[in-house]
Amino acid sequence: MGMLDRLFKSASSKPLLSLVVIVYKMPEQADNTLFSLSCLYQNGVSMDDYEVIVVENSSGQVLGRERAERHGKNFRYYCREEPLPTPVPATLFGVSVARSN
């Protein structure tokens, strides 16, 4: 997709790729990971090409919406209360809200 195609791409268009990142009790490491997925760190992609879905299982050490979404308009944050000690429900939730093709 060329530069002009990206400029005129509709805001309602679906991203080409959805990435789901599960976070629990590691806000600093999660913030570093999210930065590595941002357009500031990646080459040859635009925010319209992909989305990053951050699903955080609530704990005493949260990353939070502000820190997660500051990496770009293509980042979406969800916090969940999860009683089970597994990332599976959070992963399934993240996939369920993905918008990619």
Side-chain angles (χ1 to χ4, degrees):
M1 182 178 286
M3 180 69 94
L4 287 177
D5 294 328
R6 285 187 178 142
L7 289 174
F8 294 107
K9 191 174 182 181
S10 168
S12 64
S13 294
K14 293 181 178 183
L16 299 172
L17 176 68
S18 295
L19 303 167
V20 177
V21 179
I22 309 303
V23 176
Y24 181 71
K25 282 191 178 178
M26 299 183 349
E28 297 305 319
Q29 294 87 341
D31 198 34
N32 291 337
T33 297
L34 297 179
F35 174 72
S36 74
L37 296 173
S38 73
C39 284
L40 293 173
Y41 192 81
Q42 297 296 316
N43 292 314
V45 295
S46 76
M47 286 187 209
D48 293 332
D49 293 336
Y50 68 103
E51 67 177 343
V52 179
I53 301 163
V54 182
V55 183
E56 182 164 37
N57 285 333
S58 186
S59 73
Q61 302 172 29
V62 296
L63 172 71
R65 178 177 308 279
E66 183 180 331
R67 284 179 78 183
E69 292 183 350
R70 75 177 176 193
H71 295 286
K73 66 177 182 147
N74 57 332
F75 282 69
R76 292 189 291 148
Y77 173 85
Y78 300 91
C79 186
R80 303 180 74 244
E81 294 293 329
E82 182 56 60
L84 301 174
T86 173
V88 173
T91 303
L92 293 174
F93 173 80
V95 170
S96 77
V97 297
R99 298 179 305 134
S100 64
N101 295 324

